[in-house]
Amino acid sequence: MKEEYLDKLWNEFKSIVERHIPSTMIESNGYSGSRFDAKLSNKNRSFLDSDYYYQKDKKFVHWTNIQNLMSILNYRELRFYNLHNSSDENEFKYAAQKFDITNEIIDYSKNYLYTLSFCESKEINNPDLWTEYGKNYSGVALEFEIVNDPKQWENYMLSQVYYEIPAYIPALKNELEDFRKKHPGATTEIDLGKLIAFHKRKEFSKELEIRLSTYFPFTTAQEIEKFCNTEFRFEKNRARETNYFGLKLWVNNESPFVRDNQPELDKSLKVEDDYFVSNPKIKITNIHFGKNCGITNQEFLKFWTTLNKIVRHKLGYEIEIEPNLFG
């Protein structure tokens, strides 16, 4: 009798979840005793019909400083930081509270949800973004393109950031509260932690932000220790410690500037055969320097020539570096 009763509750819980969240987004669900759980899918194609699958042209711009630019080129990777990297300590609390996410999942997400932020490439002329993220035109704008099929990604999501909470969230929250009241002793948990990076308060809407994210990209503690690195931050109101890992940029291994018959001199990117199938494949297409970056117009051409050479020998292809200062 008890098993029949739990099956009945399970079907009721499942119908509530599927009423608000597309079934394709749910990877697994079930119950243990009187605890009813649902977990979001790990496959990006599962979000194809949701608001969390980016459908537009996949050309973007990411603002950074010149030192970070050189790190990106030299190490041939883009850094994904966990949520402790945010300059607003309350940024993710807002979304987590609206999504009715437990403190345990909030802490888990802050540690193991890694993101990279950028904007559509058409925003390259946006003075607000150059001022805020280009550090008043003292930094650089890195243009890039995602050139593989996002439907094949495993544990990566690409979505714009939304500056209001979708209507289905409070509706889901209210129905689950009613479910628990109706069935005393029943508990429910839906891990929506991977979605909180895609929601911010309205006051941030001028950022026009898009995020690429991954939720717990490593399966063992040993992998975390090997692939993740730690940075310390000492700015006011920021977490003192944040972790990051590097997503490899695509490198043209067939280029004579990269390939070499002598193994010790070969600069080919060594990754698994399916790396750029299950992971985003990113190609840099342009670099723009702000007018206050510290390079004068007189010395820029020499610097530009050197940078072109670095890109050619590190990535194996030419990119269109703008031979002028932006702004």
Side-chain angles (χ1 to χ4, degrees), residues 114-151:
Y114 294 82
T115 68
L116 174 70
S117 296
F118 38 86
C119 300
E120 294 181 52
S121 60
K122 68 180 183 180
E123 298 301 332
I124 186 61
N125 295 306
N126 190 316
D128 291 332
L129 298 176
W130 268 104
T131 300
E132 177 70 19
Y133 297 105
K135 304 302 180 185
N136 195 28
Y137 292 88
S138 66
V140 299
L142 182 69
E143 286 194 87
F144 66 91
E145 182 177 6
I146 295 176
V147 295
N148 64 343
D149 185 0
K151 291 194 292 294

Side-chain angles (χ1 to χ4, degrees), residues 294-305 323-325:
I295 303 170
T296 65
N297 287 319
Q298 291 74 22
E299 63 184 339
F300 191 87
L301 183 59
K302 180 180 178 181
F303 179 81
W304 176 53
T305 302
N324 62 290
L325 301 179

Side-chain angles (χ1 to χ4, degrees), residues 47-152:
F47 298 86
L48 186 60
D49 296 323
S50 77
D51 291 332
Y52 304 103
Y53 190 94
Y54 193 80
Q55 301 280 6
K56 300 179 184 178
D57 187 33
K58 294 171 181 61
K59 296 180 179 180
F60 305 105
V61 57
H62 170 69
W63 278 269
T64 187
N65 59 47
I66 294 179
Q67 289 73 27
N68 286 345
L69 167 68
M70 300 314 299
S71 178
I72 290 169
L73 297 179
N74 287 323
Y75 289 98
R76 304 191 291 190
E77 63 182 29
L78 286 166
R79 291 182 179 180
F80 281 60
Y81 285 89
N82 68 10
L83 299 190
H84 289 297
N85 187 55
S86 175
S87 58
D88 177 10
E89 62 179 356
N90 295 313
E91 176 182 339
F92 301 103
K93 288 182 181 178
Y94 162 77
Q97 289 170 351
K98 296 294 185 180
F99 277 59
D100 198 25
I101 294 176
T102 65
N103 288 333
E104 180 183 3
I105 294 179
I106 292 173
D107 291 340
Y108 186 89
S109 297
K110 281 199 166 187
N111 285 321
Y112 300 115
L113 176 56
Y114 294 82
T115 68
L116 174 70
S117 296
F118 38 86
C119 300
E120 294 181 52
S121 60
K122 68 180 183 180
E123 298 301 332
I124 186 61
N125 295 306
N126 190 316
D128 291 332
L129 298 176
W130 268 104
T131 300
E132 177 70 19
Y133 297 105
K135 304 302 180 185
N136 195 28
Y137 292 88
S138 66
V140 299
L142 182 69
E143 286 194 87
F144 66 91
E145 182 177 6
I146 295 176
V147 295
N148 64 343
D149 185 0
K151 291 194 292 294
Q152 302 303 315

Side-chain angles (χ1 to χ4, degrees), residues 36-260:
F36 301 88
D37 302 303
K39 181 181 179 182
L40 293 181
S41 174
N42 204 36
K43 301 181 185 302
N44 194 42
R45 62 178 175 270
S46 300
F47 298 86
L48 186 60
D49 296 323
S50 77
D51 291 332
Y52 304 103
Y53 190 94
Y54 193 80
Q55 301 280 6
K56 300 179 184 178
D57 187 33
K58 294 171 181 61
K59 296 180 179 180
F60 305 105
V61 57
H62 170 69
W63 278 269
T64 187
N65 59 47
I66 294 179
Q67 289 73 27
N68 286 345
L69 167 68
M70 300 314 299
S71 178
I72 290 169
L73 297 179
N74 287 323
Y75 289 98
R76 304 191 291 190
E77 63 182 29
L78 286 166
R79 291 182 179 180
F80 281 60
Y81 285 89
N82 68 10
L83 299 190
H84 289 297
N85 187 55
S86 175
S87 58
D88 177 10
E89 62 179 356
N90 295 313
E91 176 182 339
F92 301 103
K93 288 182 181 178
Y94 162 77
Q97 289 170 351
K98 296 294 185 180
F99 277 59
D100 198 25
I101 294 176
T102 65
N103 288 333
E104 180 183 3
I105 294 179
I106 292 173
D107 291 340
Y108 186 89
S109 297
K110 281 199 166 187
N111 285 321
Y112 300 115
L113 176 56
Y114 294 82
T115 68
L116 174 70
S117 296
F118 38 86
C119 300
E120 294 181 52
S121 60
K122 68 180 183 180
E123 298 301 332
I124 186 61
N125 295 306
N126 190 316
D128 291 332
L129 298 176
W130 268 104
T131 300
E132 177 70 19
Y133 297 105
K135 304 302 180 185
N136 195 28
Y137 292 88
S138 66
V140 299
L142 182 69
E143 286 194 87
F144 66 91
E145 182 177 6
I146 295 176
V147 295
N148 64 343
D149 185 0
K151 291 194 292 294
Q152 302 303 315
W153 295 350
E154 298 283 341
N155 202 26
Y156 278 92
M157 294 179 65
L158 174 66
S159 171
Q160 69 183 77
V161 171
Y162 296 96
Y163 301 98
E164 57 184 32
I165 299 298
Y168 75 86
I169 289 299
L172 173 62
K173 178 180 176 181
N174 291 336
E175 285 205 48
L176 289 177
E177 286 178 356
D178 291 340
F179 174 83
R180 292 190 294 268
K181 290 177 182 177
K182 181 180 175 182
H183 306 290
T187 61
T188 61
E189 184 171 307
I190 305 175
D191 186 357
L192 300 176
K194 65 167 63 179
L195 302 183
I196 66 175
F198 301 121
H199 292 275
K200 299 174 75 170
R201 296 192 302 270
K202 281 188 177 180
E203 62 196 75
F204 294 101
S205 60
K206 68 177 183 179
E207 296 176 348
L208 305 171
E209 189 172 357
I210 298 165
R211 277 182 169 154
L212 184 60
S213 75
T214 179
Y215 196 49
F216 201 77
F218 308 111
T219 57
T220 66
Q222 290 85 351
E223 285 183 315
I224 294 173
E225 292 169 356
K226 178 177 179 178
F227 296 111
C228 288
N229 298 296
T230 299
E231 286 186 0
F232 293 117
R233 302 291 174 83
F234 299 106
E235 297 99 322
K236 186 178 180 181
N237 296 326
R238 295 191 74 168
R240 296 302 191 196
E241 182 180 315
T242 184
N243 288 349
Y244 71 89
F245 78 94
L247 176 70
K248 298 299 182 184
L249 295 171
W250 176 70
V251 175
N252 180 11
N253 285 341
E254 300 304 313
S255 168
F257 295 106
V258 172
R259 187 180 56 195
D260 198 288

